[in-house]
């Protein structure tokens, strides 16, 4: 005979079993993409970065005073003091997901194992929805800076790393934005606050591979003076390149046909193409969106340095699951909410690049 539970007991049971479920008890066919790069590699990264304050900000030195000069005996010195620092600022963004249950449901009268299973399915469903949202947030950006719904979106990859048909550091402003700044800094006036850009026509050694080689060379900035570099915290470059399957497929074939000249730079390792030991990954989200909008262009290769591009969470608001709450006008229904507050920040845009096919 099944044993029922009091509402207060059930609320405690929900809280204590939210993290205890077995994925092998059902098959999830609800998601459209085969892989979710953003939530899998950044959002669920065990090395969480947290920050306080009413907004997310960081310091950037955009230029130097030019104080150094060649001199001679008894020469007069002219002191040149300038303001060389700027503050980059982005607002926090907020996400939520939720599920609900009715205390009269048959599942809640059939034993503790059934309760855990039912709650696990509904929580998993809520997280599936969050995964879809965060993947679009990671690769995307607010479409403009005027619509309130767009302003609520995080500043993702294509807000900081912009395409341009001109070779060089010409990734300036995100498309659709009327403002002339990125994170409060004007990249038109400050040429060091830009990402590297280029195009290619053919996926070959003499075109795309050559462009990749130059892009990686141009974006590896090294300061000769020791300072607390906010752009290389791990002491090594962690660069990943995101592209479409069409590009990855041909690069894999090139790696298989490697010769003495190409071999040291590009190789195939456990199904992943690497260029100078940095992975080139086919991203399903880009497969579905590349070429459909100016944000993604055709067959892009987006180089992201994960020492400078990070997801930052508002302190205390990382996937914060609350206790079940009474639903208004539904005395037997409980709502369970998960709230999250985060933002992406790119501390050094010029360590990233955007290539695309023309």
């Amino acid at each position: 005979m099944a044993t029922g539970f009091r509402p207060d007991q059930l609320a405690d049971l929900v809280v204590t079993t939210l993290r205890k479920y077995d994925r092998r008890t059902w098959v999830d066919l609800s998601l459209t993409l085969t892989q979710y790069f953003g939530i899998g590699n950044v959002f669920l990264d065990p090395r969480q970065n947290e920050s306080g304050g009413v907004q997310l900000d960081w310091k950037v030195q955009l230029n130097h005073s030019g104080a150094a000069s060649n001199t001679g005996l008894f020469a007069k010195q002219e002191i040149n003091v300038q303001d060389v620092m700027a503050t980059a600022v982005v607002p926090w963004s907020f996400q939520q997901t939720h599920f609900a249950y009715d205390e009269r449901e048959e599942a809640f009268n059939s034993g503790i194992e059934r309760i855990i299973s039912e709650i696990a399915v509904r929580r998993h469903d809520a997280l599936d929805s969050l995964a879809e949202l965060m993947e679009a947030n990671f690769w995307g950006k607010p479409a403009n800076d005027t619509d309130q719904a767009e302003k609520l979106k995080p500043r993702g990859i294509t807000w900081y790393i912009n395409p341009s048909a001109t070779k060089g550091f010409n990734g300036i402003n995100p498309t659709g934005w009327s403002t002339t700044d990125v994170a409060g800094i004007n990249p038109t006036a400050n040429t060091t606050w830009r990402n590297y850009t280029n195009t290619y026509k053919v996926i070959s050694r003499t075109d795309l591979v050559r462009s990749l080689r130059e892009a990686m060379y141009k974006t590896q900035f090294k300061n000769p003076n020791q300072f607390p570099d906010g752009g290389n915290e791990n002491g090594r470059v962690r660069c990943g390149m995101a592209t479409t399957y069409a590009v990855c497929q041909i690069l894999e074939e090139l790696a298989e046909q490697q010769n003495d000249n190409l071999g040291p730079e590009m190789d195939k390792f456990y199904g992943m193409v690497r260029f100078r030991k940095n992975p080139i990954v086919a991203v399903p989200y880009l497969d579905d969106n590349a070429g459909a909008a100016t944000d993604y262009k055709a067959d892009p290769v987006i180089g992201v340095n994960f020492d400078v591009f990070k997801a930052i969470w508002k302190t205390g608001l990382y996937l914060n699951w609350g206790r079940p709450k009474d639903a208004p006008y539904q005395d037997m229904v409980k709502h369970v909410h998960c709230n999250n507050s985060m933002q992406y920040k790119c501390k050094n845009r010029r360590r990233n690049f955007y290539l695309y096919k023309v």
Side-chain angles (χ1 to χ4, degrees), residues 258-319:
Q258 63 184 346
N259 54 35
D260 292 339
N261 294 326
L262 184 60
E265 289 189 312
M266 192 168 74
D267 64 82
K268 187 177 179 182
F269 182 73
Y270 292 125
M272 177 186 296
V273 178
R274 298 188 305 174
F275 188 82
R276 294 188 173 180
K277 299 183 179 180
N278 296 292
I280 304 176
V281 182
V283 176
Y285 186 85
L286 295 181
D287 286 334
D288 290 352
N289 292 278
T294 54
D295 293 345
Y296 302 105
K297 296 296 187 180
D299 287 336
V301 181
I302 307 174
V304 185
N305 186 315
F306 288 104
D307 275 336
V308 300
F309 183 89
K310 294 179 180 293
I312 309 295
W313 276 264
K314 186 74 173 69
T315 303
L317 286 177
Y318 169 71
L319 290 181

Side-chain angles (χ1 to χ4, degrees), residues 162-172 191 194-199 214-215 218-219 221 349-350 352-355:
N162 306 145
S164 172
T166 305
K167 177 181 174 181
F169 287 91
N170 296 297
I172 302 177
T191 57
R194 302 178 182 181
N195 62 272
Y196 183 82
T197 59
N198 201 357
T199 61
E214 184 173 2
K218 292 290 182 66
T219 56
F221 287 92
R349 295 183 67 198
R350 64 179 181 172
N352 305 275
F353 61 84
Y354 196 125
L355 314 179

Side-chain angles (χ1 to χ4, degrees), residues 12-28:
D12 287 336
L13 188 60
V14 170
V15 173
T16 57
T17 59
L18 277 177
R19 296 185 180 88
K20 301 175 183 177
Y21 65 95
D22 189 349
R23 294 181 180 179
R24 294 172 295 180
T25 56
W26 74 89
V27 177
D28 182 1

Side-chain angles (χ1 to χ4, degrees), residues 14-50:
V14 170
V15 173
T16 57
T17 59
L18 277 177
R19 296 185 180 88
K20 301 175 183 177
Y21 65 95
D22 189 349
R23 294 181 180 179
R24 294 172 295 180
T25 56
W26 74 89
V27 177
D28 182 1
L29 301 178
S30 64
L31 296 174
T32 57
L33 301 178
T34 55
Q35 295 182 46
Y36 288 78
F37 186 90
I39 198 167
N41 292 273
V42 177
F43 197 78
L44 297 181
D45 191 326
R47 298 165 297 181
Q48 301 302 338
N49 300 281
E50 293 188 341

